[in-house]
Amino acid sequence: MSFYLKEPQIPAQEPERTGILVMNLGTPDAPTAKALRPYLRQFLSDRRVIEIPRLIWWFILNGVILTLRPRQSAHKYASIWDKEGSPLMVNSQKQARLLAGYLHEAIASPYAVELGMRYGQPSLQSAIEKLKAQNCNRILLFPLYPQYAASSSASALDEAMRVLIRTRNMPEIRTIRDYHTHPAYIHAVAESIRLYWQQHGRPEKLVMSFHGVPRRTYDLGDPYYDQCQVSGKLIAQALELSEDQYLIAFQSRFGAAEWLQPYFAPSIEALGKQKLGRVDVVCPGFSSDCLETLEEIAMEGKTLFLEAGGGEYHYIPALNDRDTWIKAMREITLDNLTGWVTLR
């Protein structure tokens, strides 16, 4: 069997297109232990995510984690699953579909948009194959991570490249590394918070919670921590918040090693112990609501805050399919398509 993937048969009259591959983390197919096991195996086997020596990690993963965690995680996924399915999948599909429509207002030349997940389905390979079947000889890789981290952005780009190096007819490639300071992204987050406050009033403290990564990665040169700090400050400036009106924290710690601090859980407990009347939490690093926002932040965070003595706790939803966010996605995409497309 050839190492290279079979190329699609493209009719001679088919126009060449520019492809936009929207990439997100992924989700299990169902909120069950059976569905979680292969998803977690793929996720936790990623060398970008777990940098422990392979032999040691193999025994930990297969002997402990994949035995216990699928059932535990399934219970959490079931708590946020809705009739449409996984919130992350539903929102990501809407984002890709709406982006394709919004780009039509700006691009005159042929293009195509596809969604691919780093883990689970639809895979990045299937998305790339769909773009190539539409005669896309140029592909823009757009990871939906505002802040660059090796364990998220680089992992998605790695997987896309692993597929692309097997293509016989290699397309031109561009990548979006990050957009943590892009004015349209900052505006979309700030506007979503501002509109929420117009409807529900303002808190005493706004907590901006970003997904955590091991502290070791920062010491080795990963720019993620610094980019989160910059994004948080720009969002606070857009909202005209003083330094004592907001807090930047990091969630989803895993294992015994030190991760980026301050940790979200003890931070929200401390605010509860201060008897704050109201705290609002937003997750600017997530383009779509998912397990980490809906269960860990909206549910667990609320319990921690209230049990510590706090008053009201509000979770402000992720950007999802908000009009300002889709327009921001369009701006970010167009910024990276210069010379590839003809604008209207």
Side-chain angles (χ1 to χ4, degrees), residues 12 29 45 60 91 100 138 151 158 196 200 214 221 249 255 298 327 337:
D29 294 332
S45 295
I60 297 173
N91 286 315
R138 298 172 297 272
S151 56
D158 281 353
Y196 187 89
H200 304 280
K327 288 179 177 177
L337 290 180

Side-chain angles (χ1 to χ4, degrees), residues 259-270:
W259 281 42
L260 297 181
Q261 297 195 41
Y263 300 138
F264 172 78
S267 295
I268 207 70
E269 283 185 303

Side-chain angles (χ1 to χ4, degrees), residues 16 32 155 164 186 204 216 220 226 229 244 246 252 263:
E16 291 186 344
T32 64
S155 176
L164 289 164
I186 299 299
E204 294 177 49
R216 177 175 177 272
L220 291 174
D226 291 333
Q229 296 293 328
D244 63 342
Y246 74 96
S252 305
Y263 300 138

Side-chain angles (χ1 to χ4, degrees), residues 197-328:
W197 286 351
Q198 288 177 5
Q199 296 175 3
H200 304 280
R202 296 172 66 98
E204 294 177 49
K205 179 86 74 173
L206 174 67
V207 177
M208 289 184 254
S209 183
F210 293 86
H211 199 288
V213 296
R215 168 60 193 251
R216 177 175 177 272
T217 64
Y218 174 75
D219 295 335
L220 291 174
D222 195 303
Y224 178 71
Y225 174 82
D226 291 333
Q227 291 194 0
C228 291
Q229 296 293 328
V230 171
S231 294
K233 289 178 181 177
L234 289 174
I235 293 166
Q237 289 173 6
L239 294 169
E240 299 182 336
L241 299 179
S242 60
E243 290 187 3
D244 63 342
Q245 290 180 307
Y246 74 96
L247 170 70
I248 296 173
F250 296 89
Q251 66 195 73
S252 305
R253 182 186 178 194
F254 175 74
E258 180 184 358
W259 281 42
L260 297 181
Q261 297 195 41
Y263 300 138
F264 172 78
S267 295
I268 207 70
E269 283 185 303
L271 293 176
K273 290 176 181 178
Q274 295 173 23
K275 308 298 181 184
L276 262 65
R278 175 174 158 184
V279 164
D280 284 8
V281 183
V282 68
C283 298
F286 294 83
S287 62
S288 300
D289 272 317
C290 56
L291 183 72
E292 286 80 2
T293 64
L294 297 174
E295 195 275 338
E296 182 179 2
I297 299 301
M299 296 180 188
E300 292 184 11
K302 181 176 183 178
T303 299
L304 290 172
F305 181 71
L306 297 182
E307 289 184 350
E312 292 183 44
Y313 179 98
H314 292 229
Y315 168 66
I316 300 175
L319 294 170
N320 296 325
D321 61 349
R322 297 185 66 88
D323 183 68
T324 49
W325 169 231
I326 308 302
K327 288 179 177 177

Side-chain angles (χ1 to χ4, degrees), residues 26-32 35-37 39-40 77 81 86 89 119-121:
T27 176
D29 294 332
T32 64
L36 259 296
R37 194 166 286 108
Y39 173 76
L40 288 174
Y77 272 100
W81 216 264
S86 162
M89 178 62 73
Y119 315 106
Q121 299 299 324

